Amino acid sequence: LETAILRRPWGGEELALLREGYPGSALLGRYQARLALLQGAPDEAEGVVRRLLDRQPRDAALHRLHGEILEARHDPDGALRSYGLALELDPADAEAFGSLVRLHLAQGSLEPLLERVRRLRTLEPGDLVRWDREVEVLHRMGRLEEARELAARRPATGGTA
């Protein structure tokens, strides 16, 4: 479906037909937003995603998509908020974390990201991904000794690694 809609010149027409048959489909709404973003219509994409978020406010992937849209609209602060919500909802979301790292690096503001991943790690100390996120941010901040000490304290096994 992704290939048919997002990677083919006739994808928009196919999506319109599918939306007629399944007008309330959240999945098709996501594709509509992605297609609008790919076609250079971030305002349209944002409208679709905002309506989807009204229905599914705890959907991490939707918040991540909203972050992509806000980046396309040249709103890095809004994108940081959306990616941050995605990470809060799904701390294992590698794309949201990577986007947060990239944007915080561009702004020279890794400290707030460190605080966020540290808080997430303390909420679920058995989740090894959360430990690794904190170690990575410390490394990127140049706090190598602190990163080394944290990595040494990391459990060998955990709940969601």
Side-chain angles (χ1 to χ4, degrees), residues 99-117:
S99 295
L100 283 167
V101 168
R102 180 176 41 76
L103 287 174
H104 276 292
L105 279 171
Q107 292 185 352
S109 64
L110 282 173
E111 192 64 40
L113 181 57
L114 176 62
E115 291 171 16
R116 172 173 266 151
V117 296

Side-chain angles (χ1 to χ4, degrees), residues 79-149:
L80 281 170
R81 283 189 299 276
S82 289
Y83 290 135
L85 282 168
L87 190 68
E88 295 285 333
L89 293 167
D90 181 7
D93 187 327
E95 290 179 48
F97 177 71
S99 295
L100 283 167
V101 168
R102 180 176 41 76
L103 287 174
H104 276 292
L105 279 171
Q107 292 185 352
S109 64
L110 282 173
E111 192 64 40
L113 181 57
L114 176 62
E115 291 171 16
R116 172 173 266 151
V117 296
R118 187 167 278 161
R119 183 181 48 75
L120 289 172
R121 179 183 58 82
T122 59
L123 291 173
E124 289 287 336
D127 184 348
L128 301 183
V129 170
R130 296 174 194 221
W131 284 82
D132 294 341
R133 300 268 192 257
E134 186 175 345
V135 169
E136 180 176 344
V137 174
L138 287 167
H139 267 266
R140 289 180 180 271
M141 294 175 78
R143 294 163 60 174
L144 303 181
E145 187 57 37
E146 192 176 345
R148 195 174 2 266
E149 290 170 9

Side-chain angles (χ1 to χ4, degrees), residues 36-37 40-50 65-79 81-83 103:
L37 187 58
D43 293 341
E44 178 187 339
E46 185 173 14
V48 172
V49 167
R50 283 188 183 275
L65 177 56
H66 192 221
E68 292 173 36
I69 293 165
L70 292 170
E71 275 195 86
R73 294 185 69 209
H74 307 289
D75 180 1
D77 293 332
R81 283 189 299 276
S82 289
Y83 290 135
L103 287 174

